[in-house]
Amino acid sequence: MISTLPSIEFKIREDGEWTTKSTEELFVGTNIMLALPGAFTPTCSSTHLPGYDLLYNEFKALGVNEIYCLSVNDSYVMNAWAKELGIKNIKMIPDGNAEFTRQMGMLVNKADKGFGYRSWRYAIVTQGNQITQSFVERGYMDNTSEDPFEVSDADTLLAYMRGLTAEAA
């Protein structure tokens, strides 16, 4: 994985209007971004995204500025998904053209499932546009039958952030 976030402009639908936000605008200070294969998919909807929303205040107490969720979906889908799940704290980033995901080196073909190109599942910690830690699920490859969810979950990231706080003390 790369060490610096790609400089991308995301097209985001907010309050009924289109906005454009750059990587540089979004990623200020310490942030976490989880990337997942798709909105409304089982693991992403039941555990991955809700876990981060549930632990949001604990992340904030450890100095995390924002938590972002990115998927190769458009803004309408990302917003509808967050609404459906009752997500209150996580900022949704649509990567509808997979531009960010491709430049991250995390784009996989899931044509065998009818998904087309999607993001591999991972989470990162950033300081500004620098990636300081990556949690990439094992088995990265096109058309894999596996969908691992072992290292990019909220509990793993929270333990990591707590470790950083303990080291600094």
Side-chain angles (χ1 to χ4, degrees), residues 49-71:
L49 178 56
Y52 281 93
D53 201 53
L54 182 67
L55 296 174
Y56 180 80
N57 290 331
E58 291 184 53
F59 282 108
K60 291 293 278 188
L62 294 170
V64 172
N65 185 42
E66 291 293 348
I67 300 175
Y68 297 103
C69 175
L70 179 133
S71 185

Side-chain angles (χ1 to χ4, degrees), residues 75-155:
S75 196
Y76 290 109
V77 170
M78 294 295 282
N79 290 343
W81 184 40
K83 183 177 179 182
E84 173 81 15
L85 294 179
I87 300 300
K88 302 289 183 215
N89 303 302
I90 310 306
K91 307 280 192 234
M92 306 303 275
I93 301 178
D95 189 22
N97 294 326
E99 186 179 356
F100 183 89
T101 302
R102 184 176 293 110
Q103 290 187 40
M104 286 290 290
M106 299 305 289
L107 192 65
V108 291
N109 188 346
K110 291 188 167 261
D112 64 324
K113 300 202 177 32
F115 284 8
Y117 285 93
R118 295 296 178 113
S119 177
W120 188 251
R121 188 184 307 279
Y122 67 95
I124 56 175
V125 179
T126 66
Q127 182 62 45
N129 69 347
Q130 296 300 305
I131 299 169
T132 59
Q133 188 65 38
S134 301
F135 300 84
V136 180
E137 297 296 343
R138 65 174 168 73
Y140 171 87
M141 68 169 46
D142 289 339
N143 295 314
T144 180
S145 62
E146 293 189 58
D147 183 22
F149 180 55
E150 300 164 355
V151 300
S152 63
D153 60 287
D155 290 329

